[in-house]
Each structure stands twice: as structure tokens, then as C-alpha cells.
Amino acid sequence: MTFLNIATVVCIGLLVGTEFAVSAFVDPVLAKLDDRAQAEAIRMFGRNLGTAMPICYGLSLALLVLEAVFHWHDSGVSMLIVSAGIWAAVIVLTLLFLVPINNRMAQIEAGSWSEEARKQHDRWDRLHRIRVVALGTAMVCFLLAIHV
């Protein structure tokens, strides 16, 4: 079980850290670029992260579910269930709201960055901040559960 705990901490920790870094450091820097450079950077990040992140999200949820199964009779199981539930909700909301915006942003050519594209990216950024808070909350619930 120690190996599972370590694997889960590493997996969700790296994902939460990556998402936090995008929100706190990457997007503010991108916002300072000229339109052409900003569009190109958003397109590249959208494609690269859009390829890797679904695997990380799915693996993280699978690990959280396994944690709940293996800790079923422990006192912290309710926090594990909450953590997995938050994670699952984030995945669903990401698929419904963030992925479509990300896909549109990944298709924008550097020379066609419009006011509508900027509004879409701003919306993605606001929703992403909510996602970061939710993922952080899920991680805290998980950490509390395995240390109860």
C-alpha cells in the first residue's frame, strides 16, 4: 500500500503542480506577449498539454479509486471518496467546457488572433483557475485521508 500511496502522491502532485504553474506563471507571461506570439504560444501549449494531460488525469483518477478500494475499511475512506469524486467532476467539467475552448485555441493561426479568440482564452483561464482550486482540494482530501 505504501507504493500505491507514493505513486498517487507523485501522479496527482505533478498534475496539480503543472496546472498551478500554467495558471500562476505561464498564462500571465503569455498575456504580455504581442498577439502573434501569444497566439502561437497558446496554440503550442494547447496541442502539447492537450495530448499529455488526458492520460495524467485518467491515471490520477484510477489511482484515487484504487486508494479508496484498498483503504475501504480505514477511517479516511470518506475523504478518499470525496477526493475521487472531485477529480471525476473536474474531468467531466474539463471535457464539457475547457477542452472545446482548448481545441479552438490549438487551431488558431498566429496571424488570426482576434478579440473573440482573446475572450475565449480569458474564459478558459478563468475556468482553469477554478479547476486548479478543485484539484488542489482533491489533493488535500487525499493527503488527509492517507494520514488519518
Side-chain angles (χ1 to χ4, degrees):
M1 216 165 328
T2 300
F3 176 77
L4 178 61
N5 290 346
I6 291 169
T8 306
V9 166
V10 169
C11 189
I12 68 174
L14 288 172
L15 187 100
V16 171
T18 299
E19 295 290 25
F20 175 77
V22 167
S23 184
F25 305 111
V26 174
D27 277 345
V29 169
L30 293 180
K32 294 179 184 197
L33 297 174
D34 64 72
D35 287 350
R36 185 175 193 82
Q38 184 179 17
E40 184 64 19
I42 288 170
R43 188 174 64 80
M44 290 187 316
F45 275 117
R47 287 183 179 166
N48 289 340
L49 292 174
T51 301
M53 295 310 255
I55 297 164
C56 296
Y57 273 90
L59 179 59
S60 296
L61 179 59
L63 289 169
L64 287 169
V65 170
L66 277 174
E67 289 279 0
V69 169
F70 283 111
H71 291 280
W72 191 251
H73 297 290
D74 295 351
S75 61
V77 71
S78 60
M79 292 299 276
L80 287 171
I81 293 168
V82 168
S83 180
I86 292 170
W87 210 274
V90 165
I91 290 171
V92 169
L93 294 172
T94 296
L95 290 171
L96 290 175
F97 299 105
L98 288 158
V99 168
I101 296 170
N102 184 70
N103 290 345
R104 286 192 297 275
M105 295 292 102
Q107 300 303 317
I108 292 175
E109 294 301 322
S112 62
W113 187 246
S114 66
E115 186 60 33
E116 181 57 31
R118 184 178 312 284
K119 286 180 185 177
Q120 286 292 307
H121 184 260
D122 290 346
R123 182 168 189 253
W124 183 92
D125 197 37
R126 285 190 306 276
L127 293 170
H128 179 71
R129 286 188 186 118
I130 295 167
R131 175 170 62 182
V132 170
V133 170
L135 292 174
T137 302
M139 185 170 185
V140 168
C141 290
F142 163 70
L143 293 172
L144 288 172
I146 63 170
H147 284 79
V148 171

